[in-house]
Structure formats: C-alpha cells, structure tokens
Amino acid sequence: MPFPRASQALSRFTVLDLTRIRSGPTAVRQFADWGANVIKIDALSDDAGSEQPGGPRQGSDFQNLHRNKRAMTLNLKDPRGLAVFKRLVAKADVVVENFRPDVKARLGIDYESLKAINPGIVYGSISGFGQDGPYHKRPGFDQIAQGMGGLMSITGAPGEGPMRVGIPVADLTAGLFCALGVLTALLERDVSGQGQWVQTSLLQAQIFMLDFQAARWLMEQDVPKQAGNNHPTSIPTGVFKTSDGYINIATTGGKIWERCAQAIGAPELITHPDYATGPARSKNRDALNTAISACTEKRSTEEWVNDLNAAGVPCGPIYSVDQMFADAQVKHLGLAQDVPNDQNRKITLVAQPFTLSRTPSQMAARPPEVGEQTEELLAEFGFGAEEIAELRRGKVV
C-alpha cells in the first residue's frame, strides 16, 4: 500500500532527514506536511527507541514534530552505511541536518562531499551560531540564543531581570527559516539546475526576529528595554484587569485611542492634558494604564471583548492553552487535527498555520517507529532483497 502523502504540493521532492531535537525537525516538518517524500534517518544503536533528547518517541513533542514521515535506521559511522547514504543522496533533492559544524565533515556527509555525488542537492544546515566564526564549535541551545540574541533583555517586567519567552522561539524560527531557505534554493534550481548550501543558525534567527526592536538600535541607537505587558511604542497597549480575569487591549494612533476611551466610559481621558497626544500618553503610560484598569475592573472579560470589538478597538481575552483550543475561531481554523493510525491511539497534533486552496495539507500518517520502513525505503532506492539482508546482518541498517 503506498505511503499516504499529506499534500500534493511538494510531492515531487525527496528529503533526507538527519535532524534531531527541535530546530531541524521543525524545518523538515514543513516538507512532510506539504507532501514531500521525507525519510527520517535514525541512528542505529541499541537504545534508539529509548528516551532521547527531545523526549520519548511516543510523547507529544516528538509526535508533533515527526508526523507524515517514514523512517529507516542507518549506521553512518560504518563505511558501508555511508555508502548506503550516498546512494540515497544520488536520488534525493534535499538533505537537512543540524549537527555541530565539525560533525558532518568528520562523518563525510558535508555539503561538498554530497555535491560531488549529486550537484543538484540542496543541503540545509542549522547550527547554534553559524558554520564558521569564533563560536561555530559551541553547542547551540534555544535559551542561550534567546539571551545572546537580545530577546531576554526586552522580555519581562522592568527591573525584574532577563526573562526567556515561553516557547523555544530561536529553535522554531531557525527551523522555519531553514525550510524557507531550502524552498528558495529549490526554486532557483529550476533555473540553474544546481543545488546549493542553505545555512542558518539559532543566533541569526533570533536576531532577525527582534525586527523593529533591532532596527531601533541600528537606526537610532536606541537600546530597547523591558516593558512587561506594555507595548514599547503603541500606547496604551497592554494587559488590563477585568472583574473575572484579564484582557488585552491594543491601541495604535489617536483615533483608536479615542474609540477606546469612549467605549470604556471615560471620554474625559481624551482631552486630559496628560493623555491628549501620543508623546503625552507615552510619558504618562503608568498613570493612564491605572485609569483604564479602574474602568475595566467593573465588568467581565467577555463583556469587554464584545463591546470593545464592536467599537473597533482591538482586544482579546488571555487564554490558557486549553481555553485557546476551545475558542470558536480556533476550532473553525482547524488547528487541532487528529492523525490516523493503526495503533488504536488518539493522536491529535497542531496543524499547519497556512492553507493552500488546491493542494491542502493534512495529517496523513502517524510518526514512524524507529526504522519502521527500512526495507521498504531501501527497496525504493534500488537495493535488492539479498543486499538488504546483508546490510541487516552487518548491522549497517
């Protein structure tokens, strides 16, 4: 029975997945979810199925990262295993890895080595700090990148010290940027016929994600500071207490601020000299926030969400994760999707955040067990039954 594809959008591409932990699997997930023939290559070891960095194989984290793939085992440290891998590369389109920069050269699977076999190969690499430079041999971890990339210095309440954000944002964005880079290289290959090496790192991704906060320094030499729940430039924007919880309110520009003041029943704030202009509201933001909270505390979050949105004021509740998935719009968008499987397990995972009208993505296959499709995949790449059996006997696969 043919392996079910998640989409037809990228079905013409074969991707060899050498990635581990999070950033690399995040990159490859984009290809798997859009229908590429993704082959996850697991290390051949006695404990390959035990708990590993990134959590157990049937845990929620691993399952969310590795759906819609097939898997095989391969011992890349054995010359015979390296020879097998090179035969796969000869017919593949993409290789993605997130080893430390020196590891792939030592194994003989670096870009130059694989380019000699297949000049059209697109090779995606994610590292902690880059493939060269003074820090290139350092191991990369998300929180280290958050700190060195400036994010922790602008996250959290003023005076409370640096704070990491609640998701591994450097890992995730490095993976997404790697996928974008690989797709860009594949588009260019349609013109040139040549592959190329796509490189990104956790540090690069994190700095890019600073966006306007980084530009404030580069253009104006303004060092951004922690602002807690307050927006650094659009004021008032932040978290306000209600009678039964909290609400986010966001105002940008004088017109929305005026609508906000009217909607909360405090029109006198519009002409108050401390709040009448953008610079005045910025200077007196704490007092203004206190005045707004005195109004919002009188009614429930649901009431304010309804009334402020009706008045054209951007706002929204602050959900826990369970409340978020119960929201009517989230349900409508289909962001939680069940995965078909033959193990009588309930697997519900986070769906892709964008849609295509003709070639949609779906949860087509559960994440594979260790080396689950080894024989099937080798046969597809031209290995005969006796050849596969010999590789098994030699503990190469």
Side-chain angles (χ1 to χ4, degrees), residues 16 41 72 84-92 378 381 383:
L16 304 181
I41 298 177
M72 62 176 288
V84 170
F85 181 69
K86 289 182 175 180
R87 283 176 64 177
L88 303 183
V89 169
K91 295 184 176 181
L378 288 173
F381 277 83
F383 289 79

Side-chain angles (χ1 to χ4, degrees), residues 247-282:
I247 187 174
N248 271 317
I249 301 175
T251 68
T252 304
K255 292 296 183 183
I256 295 180
W257 157 238
E258 290 177 13
R259 292 202 295 267
C260 177
Q262 293 283 359
I264 65 174
E268 70 278 4
L269 296 178
I270 297 172
T271 55
H272 193 294
D274 287 348
Y275 317 130
T277 67
R281 291 192 294 275
S282 180

Side-chain angles (χ1 to χ4, degrees), residues 118-174:
N118 180 355
I121 199 74
V122 173
Y123 190 103
S125 291
I126 306 172
S127 62
F129 302 96
Q131 298 297 314
D132 47 32
Y135 302 157
H136 79 281
K137 290 186 178 181
R138 292 186 184 181
F141 289 89
D142 176 83
Q143 188 158 336
I144 307 302
Q146 286 194 32
M148 293 179 68
L151 181 62
M152 292 175 67
S153 75
I154 57 173
T155 303
E160 293 187 2
M163 179 67 67
R164 69 179 291 274
V165 300
I167 59 170
V169 63
D171 274 339
L172 295 172
T173 54

